Amino acid sequence: MTEKPDGLSFLPLGGTGEIGMNFNLYCLTKNGRDTWLAIDCGIGFSGNDTPEAEVLMPDPTFIADRARDLCGLVITHAHEDHLGAVAHLWPYLRCPVYATPFAAAVLRRKLQEAHLNNQVKIHVIRPASRFEVGPFDLQFVSVTHSVAEAQAVALRTPHGLIVHTGDWKLDENPLVGPVTDLETFGKLGDEGVLAMVGDSTNVLKPGKSESEADVRKGLTDLIMGLEGRIAVTCFASNVARVESIAKAAQASGRVVMIVGRSLRNLETAARECGYFQDLPPFLTEQDARDVEDENLLMIITGSQGEPRSALSRIASDTHPNIALGEGDTVIYSSRMIPGNEQAVMAVQDNLSRRGVTVLTDKDAKVHTSGHATSEDIRTLYRIVRPKYSIPTHGEWRHLTAHAALAHEMGSEPILLEDGDILNLSPGEVKVVDTAPTGRLALDGGRLLPMTGGVLAARRKMLFNGIVLASFAVDDEGYVIGEPKISAPGLLESDDPESIRIQEEFADSIDQIPDELRQDDAAFRDAAKTALRRALGRKLQKRPLVDVHLLRV
């Protein structure tokens, strides 16, 4: 058998062809042995196409089968779509984690909730540092993003230099954290970059990025002119935005209250890492009654319409401590993630129904993206000059637009999907194999495959309902009493159609052959067929059916 040649390859298992669930792998092969490095491990949120699940994450099976060859997991920044899955998937990976102080602080709280804090070795790496993970020579490069301490990663290998951008933008006045380090990117470009693996999320927006400083001014101007209670919702991990909102509140003579667990965790992590030093501690929701409406500003989780979030519960008037109504204002200092439009609009509609004024970035300068626009991306290509471009982190329309822009800037684009194994060296740079991919849904404390039986049944119940039948039989297999039918979400119990189905089901059971009545499994299968027949075509549905047989 020929030994595998020394080489370098790249494999996205999540986040390429979709928003969220970023999970990328690099493989160095030496002396016939593969060593893998993971960069980011994030969650995604359910959209209209996956109503049966709320939180999604990439299936780690491929790398879990090779966990002994996984030397580490590097986190580029503390957003949920880049580190939110670590606490759920680490038991499959069982490798050390490398993160900046802020990302490490956020991650520790998640691991603590999962009772993994003492098991996971976290190496805290200072921003802009150079460090080694197994055979990988890595360098963090500071970039501006909508979270503190965001980093790009330069991977120096015997086969060439790779620049993995993570999430980034250009902002001359980011307010929290440094500007994107174009000088270091320029030095990497001078070294010679084989490939740049880049963020595509905001590539469709023309022109240069807007600054967080403009948002802070816009929020201040807006809040100064409002009366009543004010609530602002934003991404919980956006330290600069939370600071901007707090500063705007201060300028208006309002105290800040935070509502929602993720925001409380953010404040703790941020203050632990030296942020918010010139801001007094934020109030909690228990303090709501102690502050006059005109003196209060609330920062609330739930900008994406998450059903269990604080803002969703306030909008539906089910929050235990906070109510909003006539004369109050909710400001959305965020964008809608694709797929969340219906959920966000439903919350905004509920707020409006309660008399709340809802303001978004269409009404005032209250948000700017943390991702690079097309002009930002052109600037980075001009500086880095990679031979190859590998667009990631985006839906297909984002990836193709990024590829076109890279081609315009003189790089050769390579379009991948999750599971494509890209050979970077030796020889031709091309897809040489595919790895199994998939999505897992977080269901309570369980991880379930989206294609598995449990969620397939839930999906069927969601759209077609469920019909349950139960009946008792004696030792000989003959029915005792009347079978019972229940069709929650499909039929009312006194519906004539429900009575018809029950009668036809009872008649059909009587016709089941005697030889099937002695074996419970065979009898149950025959009864299911009888139930489907009794349902007929009148409902124009194919509900999930189940039969409970009791032998007495």
Side-chain angles (χ1 to χ4, degrees), residues 279-331:
L279 293 172
F282 301 144
L283 302 181
T284 64
E285 56 201 71
Q286 281 73 33
D287 305 311
R289 292 171 190 161
D290 302 332
V291 184
E292 292 293 327
D293 289 359
E294 299 297 324
N295 299 330
L296 180 67
L297 183 140
M298 294 175 279
I299 308 177
I300 300 180
T301 57
S303 67
Q304 298 307 302
E306 303 92 327
R308 289 196 293 273
S309 69
L311 188 58
S312 292
R313 287 184 289 148
I314 291 167
S316 58
D317 201 24
T318 58
H319 194 279
N321 300 312
I322 294 167
L324 293 174
E326 200 75 41
D328 297 332
T329 304
V330 171
I331 301 168

